[in-house]
Amino acid sequence: MDVYSTASARLLPWVSAEGKPCYLVSDSAGPVSRVADSMESIQLGLAADLIDEAQRMLEERAWTPGELHLLAVQLTESLCAVHRVAKSRGARLLVPANGDPAVRA
C-alpha cells in the first residue's frame, strides 16, 4: 500500500480572465502540465534576473523616484508569480495518505 499521495489539483501559474486562480486536475504528464512547468521556469528565471537588476540599481545609489517606483512594481509582480509557483509546488509535495507527517516511506 502506498503511504503517500499527491494533491488532486495543481495551481497553475496564471489566472483566469476574471483574475481567479486556475487549477489542473491530471496525472501531471499532459501538455498543459508541460506548459505550466515551462511557465514556472520562465517566471523563476525572470525573478532571478530582476533580483540582479534591483541589487545593481540600489548599489549605484543614483536612481530617480520613477525608477524606484517601476522597480517596486516589477518586484511586486515577480514576487506574486514566485509565490504562486511556491504554493503550487508545495501543494504537490508528497504527503502521507493518512495526513500524518511523521509517516516515512
Side-chain angles (χ1 to χ4, degrees):
M1 179 173 102
D2 188 10
V3 295
Y4 286 88
S5 64
T6 57
S8 60
R10 175 183 181 172
L11 176 64
L12 295 172
W14 55 80
V15 295
S16 71
E18 298 82 28
K20 295 182 181 179
C22 295
Y23 294 91
L24 174 66
V25 179
S26 78
D27 63 0
S28 71
V32 176
S33 289
R34 289 191 297 276
V35 169
D37 291 342
S38 177
M39 188 171 202
E40 285 180 354
S41 179
I42 291 167
Q43 288 172 328
L44 293 175
L46 290 172
D49 292 345
L50 186 56
I51 289 167
D52 292 342
E53 176 65 17
Q55 289 172 331
R56 183 196 57 74
M57 183 178 161
L58 294 173
E59 285 172 0
E60 289 178 4
R61 299 184 187 270
W63 57 83
T64 67
E67 289 171 328
L68 281 178
H69 181 264
L70 178 60
L71 179 62
V73 168
Q74 292 174 329
L75 286 169
T76 302
E77 290 171 352
S78 183
L79 183 59
C80 289
V82 169
H83 182 256
R84 178 177 290 280
V85 170
K87 282 176 52 177
S88 176
R89 291 184 179 183
R92 289 181 282 136
L93 291 175
L94 293 177
V95 294
N98 68 354
D100 184 359
V103 174
R104 302 259 187 234

